[in-house]
Amino acid sequence: VAGRGTPAIRFNAALALGRARGSPRSRPALEGLLGDPDPSLRTAAAEALALLGDPAAREALAAAYAAEGDRDAASAERDAVLRLDLGNP
């Protein structure tokens, strides 16, 4: 997903990873996207991590939120942390 395809394709691919709850590779791949230069992809990664519902993603999301410079991506990262805390993907 990182660095390949148009922004729309990368966005949709990130969300698809979030829906692939059975894949053990989804969380690390999505966590890596939290550092992507494209804020829309960081937003998609945060939303997808919330969809996965894996509490192990909380630390990466919290760190991304603390360092985030984009308002929309920060909102998605914060919301994902809250959803994981509540156990509500």
Side-chain angles (χ1 to χ4, degrees):
V1 175
R4 294 187 175 166
T6 67
I9 289 172
R10 295 170 66 215
F11 182 91
N12 288 326
L15 290 179
L17 282 174
R19 293 184 187 103
R21 294 182 186 205
S23 175
R25 296 186 208 168
S26 294
R27 184 180 51 80
L30 290 166
E31 288 176 347
L33 294 178
L34 292 172
D36 193 90
D38 183 345
S40 67
L41 190 55
R42 295 193 304 272
T43 299
E47 291 174 9
L49 284 165
L51 285 172
L52 276 179
D54 185 345
R58 188 193 190 288
E59 186 176 331
L61 284 162
Y65 173 67
E68 186 59 65
D70 180 81
R71 185 182 66 173
D72 292 334
S75 178
E77 292 155 357
R78 181 196 65 231
D79 290 349
V81 168
L82 293 173
R83 288 167 65 185
L84 290 176
D85 286 349
L86 295 172
N88 185 18

